[in-house]
Amino acid sequence: MIDFANANLNTCNIQYIKGVGEKRARLFNKLGIYSVRDLITFYPRKYQDWSKNVSVLDAPEGEVVAVKATMITPVKEALIRKGMTLYKCNFSDGQNVIHVTLFNNKYLAQSLRTYDDYILYGKVEKSFTSASMTSPQIEKLETAGGVHPIYPATDKLNSRAIAKVIKTALDAIPEIEDTLTEDIRKRYHLCSLDFATREIHFPTKAENIEIARRRLIFEELLTLQLGLLKLKDKKETENKLKINADCTEEFCALLPFELTGAQRRAIGECVADMMSPQAMNRLIQGDVGSGKTAVAAAVMYSTVKSGYQCAMMAPTEILANQHYASLTQLFEGTNVRTALLTGATKAKEKREIKAALMEGEIDIIIGTHALIQNDVEFRELALVVTDEQHRFGVEQRATLAMKGTNPHLMVMSATPIPRTLGLIIYGDLDISILDELPPGRQEIRTDVVTSAYHDRIYTFIKKAIDAGNQAYIVCSLVDEGESDLISAKEYAEELQTKVFQHYNLGLLHGKMKAKEKDAVMSAFARGEVQVLVSTTVVEVGVDVPNATIMLIENAERFGLSALHQLRGRVGRGKDKSYCILVSDSKSDSARERLQVMKSTNNGFKIADYDLKTRGPGDFFGKRQHGLPNLIIADMLGDMETLKECQQCAEEMLSEDIRLDKYPALCDNINEMFRKTDY
Ligand code: ADP
Ligand code: MG
């Protein structure tokens, strides 16, 4: 045995807990449990209340209940067939007999003793003359206890076994040191950490579960928030790359249009950041088409005018190509020198570009994110812009910060996130929001139809192509093995041979290599491919102004935010554009969601609706955010607590920036962020 009184719970291995050992420890490892801290923060998924027991007469049909009963006949065993033994015995609740049947549970059957009192937990089936329970859980009355925790179990480790080990551990460790001061606990109505930890596992009263949950959710969100704020603090490095003039007015003369108010505001905020004593860490968030590229271009222009270099990174080669083309055109006739560096750049050219960058002969380099990971060196890199940031993880931002002399960071994202969440996900960044579209944008017409309309839609698409336009057809994921859904590949073949025989179709799906994708996308951008059949990979901000139709199959399968991103691929040119959502779903909620798409073109409104009705899956399911995994808190479900935590974190840091007063909390912050390798 180990001395738990002095052990560090974060590092103490669970194999030393009585009854665990090396072999069982491995079973726990499968559940992600290594340390004693992992174990005691492995919270129950739900509870069974065994304390409120009912008589057979009162037991509601079909509901799981606890019945207090005495065993009145010994167990009878019957072998039904090989490998299937039945155990039958009778209990009485004082008024009625309950026939109990157990399958194959020899261990339990042999432990039962006639005339002993038990709690039977399960469903009661009633007939005219008798009551019965099939495979109930059975515990001796004395040890049955009240509220039972139910843990997510595995084949070899059931909930009861987990509960037992957690109980042993909680009994062995001394009072858990509180991470928060009494003052904070009072202010935010929080119970002690020790109480919360013990009661969440083994509640002495059912009411205590909520009290414990509140504290633990608060604890987790606060740890996350403090960690992010500290991360931001760490990044708040001295600005050694101050720009010395705001050249936005000069830049405006290069543009073929007037900047929107929102663009001006965002540019102003960036320029102010870059002139301030601290380096810039800013997120530019704006709906598709809000003109983020122009914002980046303006800020890069001022940076170059101060004699520095800029790098702009895009998630795909095709997007990098596009940015390169539009920036080169924009800066034509000025002395701003641009270059493109991607995987496709020829070796010799690459060498020349790298040399030129080092010499300072290139002002703005555009490329994929490989740009910052390679051996690319700059003479004086002052600003790094990353486009479509939600494709990059937080880690890559950290890599960036290490590059060169702590350049200013500007990240651009079209994923609309409600502000409170933005503060968490991008807690280490300042945010500018582009909440205004350039004037004169025509609304994209959106229609929701059933697949019965396919022939009409195809005719409509052909007409558009004949008039010189192009179309996207998006269908569900390829090779998912879901037979009711048409995979992109099969669908494309069918369309080519049966519908669009006289047109060029291209296929784009997630399993293709980046090079292949870029080739298809470029052919589409050049107009050689007229219909692009694809999975959602087109969502990234590629600009094909000539494309006017976005057809989405099985539209109910997509999150609204994803649909909105897809829709943003059309309506980028002068021609009227259409988005057609095909769905045969009969579900009311699916139909209602698709109607939301029809009713608005505002990405923030759509995101709000999506979050309210679909939950956080879209934003948090894919771990695109790069945040630590939360154990108990659900950031959206616990929005109120999240707000309180944000306030609390700011109060704590304003009093004690290094959190010296909270050593245990600091430990936990490090632990939470260690697991995600920042
Ligand atoms: P996103 O924010 O989706 O990246 P882009 O930067 O690609 O948007 O801009 C979309 C289109 O709008 C581009 O063709 C761009 O030239 C144009 N644009 C940007 N700002 C303005 C503006 N203020 N007035 C008119 N057109 C603009
Ligand atoms: Mg863009």
Side-chain angles (χ1 to χ4, degrees):
M1 268 301 273
I2 189 166
D3 174 17
F4 281 104
N6 296 310
N8 176 343
L9 301 184
N10 282 334
T11 52
C12 183
N13 192 313
I14 45 159
Q15 78 178 61
Y16 302 115
I17 297 169
K18 203 171 134 212
V20 179
E22 231 174 287
K23 214 166 126 203
R24 287 192 87 205
R26 277 201 290 277
L27 299 178
F28 277 94
N29 293 165
K30 288 222 172 80
L31 288 165
I33 301 169
Y34 296 87
S35 67
V36 175
R37 156 111 31 228
D38 294 338
L39 182 71
I40 63 176
T41 54
F42 190 73
Y43 302 123
R45 190 161 42 88
K46 57 182 182 184
Y47 300 88
Q48 292 176 352
D49 193 351
W50 292 39
S51 64
K52 293 194 195 89
N53 47 62
V54 296
S55 69
V56 165
L57 262 183
D58 294 339
E61 194 84 35
E63 248 176 62
V64 178
V65 290
V67 179
K68 188 171 102 184
T70 311
M71 181 163 163
I72 53 171
T73 64
V75 175
K76 272 199 223 136
E77 191 178 318
L79 184 74
I80 297 200
R81 55 180 154 80
K82 208 162 173 252
M84 172 65 87
T85 312
L86 225 70
Y87 300 91
K88 284 176 175 279
C89 56
N90 297 315
F91 287 76
S92 165
D93 69 352
Q95 296 168 302
N96 287 284
V97 174
I98 310 153
H99 306 293
V100 169
T101 310
L102 303 170
F103 292 96
N104 278 355
N105 201 337
K106 187 173 175 186
Y107 175 80
L108 177 60
Q110 284 182 345
S111 75
L112 300 174
R113 298 279 170 273
T114 326
Y115 305 122
D116 277 358
D117 294 330
Y118 293 93
I119 296 282
L120 310 178
Y121 190 85
K123 282 182 193 165
V124 180
E125 289 145 56
K126 291 188 248 189
S127 73
F128 259 139
T129 50
S130 66
S132 60
M133 290 177 87
T134 307
S135 303
Q137 295 179 60
I138 306 177
E139 286 265 357
K140 284 197 83 159
L141 180 63
E142 302 92 85
T143 54
V147 183
H148 287 223
I150 305 296
Y151 296 94
T154 63
D155 294 352
K156 297 215 172 82
L157 205 54
N158 65 32
S159 175
R160 267 177 79 143
I162 297 170
K164 203 165 159 217
V165 172
I166 294 180
K167 183 101 183 67
T168 309
L170 285 174
D171 287 346
I173 59 177
E175 184 178 335
I176 297 165
E177 186 192 344
D178 217 292
T179 46
L180 301 176
T181 59
E182 186 124 14
D183 177 46
I184 292 178
R185 266 157 45 204
K186 273 216 189 99
R187 208 172 333 149
Y188 290 96
H189 311 287
L190 302 166
C191 66
S192 79
L193 188 56
D194 186 69
F195 180 86
T197 309
R198 292 174 196 275
E199 290 290 319
I200 197 85
H201 289 291
F202 304 104
T204 47
K205 284 191 295 199
E207 303 90 273
N208 288 355
I209 298 172
E210 268 319 298
I211 298 172
R213 253 179 63 81
R214 169 166 170 79
R215 169 66 206 256
L216 296 170
I217 290 172
F218 193 96
E219 182 84 15
E220 194 169 37
L221 291 175
L222 181 69
T223 310
L224 174 67
Q225 186 74 66
L226 285 169
L228 287 170
L229 289 175
K230 284 184 90 171
L231 199 68
K232 178 174 178 173
D233 187 49
K234 223 190 317 185
K235 283 204 204 135
E236 256 169 29
T237 42
E238 192 193 335
N239 181 2
K240 293 191 180 135
L241 300 158
K242 273 190 202 165
I243 57 173
N244 43 40
D246 180 350
C247 305
T248 307
E249 285 317 312
E250 208 178 301
F251 170 81
C252 282
L254 304 173
L255 284 174
F257 47 73
E258 291 281 311
L259 289 173
T260 65
Q263 283 172 320
R264 280 190 176 277
R265 231 178 358 260
I267 295 166
E269 283 164 344
C270 291
V271 169
D273 281 354
M274 296 179 74
M275 291 175 158
S276 82
Q278 256 139 29
M280 171 167 78
N281 265 301
R282 188 169 284 278
L283 170 73
I284 309 292
Q285 208 182 57
D287 211 342
V288 279
S290 55
K292 292 183 289 293
T293 320
V295 172
V299 178
M300 290 196 287
Y301 187 77
S302 285
T303 309
V304 171
K305 288 289 150 184
S306 288
Y308 296 120
Q309 290 170 299
C310 306
M312 182 170 188
M313 306 188 306
T316 63
E317 246 166 58
I318 171 95
L319 209 54
N321 281 319
Q322 261 186 16
H323 283 322
Y324 173 69
S326 56
L327 290 176
T328 308
Q329 194 189 356
L330 183 66
F331 292 129
E332 213 180 85
T334 70
N335 54 5
V336 177
R337 297 156 298 180
T338 53
L340 176 72
L341 187 63
T342 71
T345 312
K346 300 257 167 1
K348 178 167 168 274
E349 199 183 340
K350 242 182 212 164
R351 268 198 309 277
E352 286 167 8
I353 291 176
K354 282 185 195 169
L357 273 174
M358 219 171 344
E359 290 301 315
E361 288 158 5
I362 293 170
D363 302 306
I364 298 177
I365 182 88
I366 297 136
T368 49
H369 64 284
L371 194 61
I372 54 135
Q373 283 153 351
N374 290 342
D375 50 341
V376 180
E377 282 177 54
F378 294 82
R379 191 178 59 81
E380 199 151 32
L381 176 65
L383 170 64
V384 176
V385 179
T386 71
D387 194 14
E388 303 297 337
Q389 170 65 20
H390 60 290
R391 297 270 151 173
F392 295 101
V394 178
E395 315 89 67
Q396 272 138 324
R397 276 191 249 154
T399 319
L400 259 174
M402 321 256 249
K403 188 97 188 166
T405 44
N406 267 310
H408 299 279
L409 294 186
M410 172 173 175
V411 297
M412 307 197 289
S413 170
T415 311
I417 298 170
R419 188 156 184 90
T420 330
L421 278 175
L423 282 177
I424 282 283
I425 297 177
Y426 299 113
D428 54 332
L429 300 176
D430 298 310
I431 304 181
S432 296
I433 293 181
L434 297 182
D435 51 3
E436 190 182 343
L437 289 182
R441 269 300 145 74
Q442 33 180 331
E443 288 264 302
I444 299 160
R445 172 168 165 174
T446 303
D447 284 299
V448 184
V449 299
T450 64
S451 53
Y453 281 74
H454 267 133
D455 285 340
R456 285 164 67 177
I457 299 167
Y458 296 146
T459 310
F460 182 68
I461 293 176
K462 284 185 208 166
K463 249 168 106 182
I465 300 174
D466 292 341
N469 287 319
Q470 290 165 280
Y472 292 99
I473 300 182
V474 174
C475 50
S476 298
L477 294 174
V478 72
D479 297 333
E480 277 293 271
E482 289 172 285
S483 54
D484 58 323
L485 293 170
I486 330 151
S487 84
K489 232 184 221 161
E490 283 169 27
Y491 188 42
E493 266 160 36
E494 203 184 307
L495 287 175
Q496 180 74 80
T497 52
K498 298 197 181 128
V499 184
F500 296 103
Q501 295 97 327
H502 309 297
Y503 302 89
N504 284 335
L505 255 71
L507 172 65
L508 202 63
H509 63 76
K511 298 242 167 83
M512 289 163 72
K513 294 207 182 66
K515 257 203 181 125
E516 299 168 337
K517 279 191 219 169
D518 277 337
V520 174
M521 203 58 229
S522 307
F524 185 67
R526 288 192 302 267
E528 293 160 16
V529 163
Q530 292 147 327
V531 180
L532 185 66
V533 181
S534 78
T535 59
T536 52
V537 285
V538 289
E539 82 183 64
V540 171
V542 178
D543 208 8
V544 183
N546 199 38
T548 53
I549 299 175
M550 170 60 69
L551 167 62
I552 302 173
E553 304 282 355
N554 299 105
E556 77 282 353
R557 301 269 311 190
F558 297 89
L560 292 191
S561 299
L563 289 178
H564 180 64
Q565 289 291 318
L566 288 170
R567 178 169 60 185
R569 294 305 111 223
V570 295
R572 303 175 83 85
K574 57 185 192 326
D575 300 322
K576 174 85 187 147
S577 292
Y578 303 85
C579 174
I580 306 165
L581 304 173
V582 180
S583 171
D584 288 331
S585 171
K586 303 259 183 321
S587 122
D588 286 343
S589 65
R591 307 228 50 96
E592 190 187 311
R593 287 193 320 111
L594 296 178
Q595 286 306 318
V596 171
M597 289 299 296
K598 189 176 161 73
S599 69
T600 181
N601 266 302
N602 181 320
F604 284 88
K605 271 193 198 151
I606 288 170
D608 267 347
Y609 183 87
D610 214 5
L611 284 164
K612 270 195 215 107
T613 53
R614 260 171 67 107
D618 250 20
F619 290 116
F620 300 108
K622 298 165 204 147
R623 285 190 49 86
Q624 276 187 353
H625 48 79
L627 286 177
N629 264 330
L630 296 182
I631 305 169
I632 191 166
D634 156 1
M635 282 194 266
L636 285 161
D638 300 315
M639 200 69 137
E640 280 309 309
T641 316
L642 181 59
K643 284 184 198 155
E644 285 179 282
C645 287
Q646 285 172 343
Q647 187 191 333
C648 183
E650 271 161 33
E651 283 165 9
M652 286 169 78
L653 288 172
S654 70
E655 274 171 32
D656 178 5
I657 184 73
R658 299 211 325 260
L659 298 176
D660 289 334
K661 262 196 280 174
Y662 310 93
L665 198 53
C666 288
D667 261 7
N668 293 346
I669 294 171
N670 291 337
E671 186 67 9
M672 182 184 266
F673 282 77
R674 180 184 63 77
K675 281 185 185 153
T676 36
D677 292 328
Y678 276 83

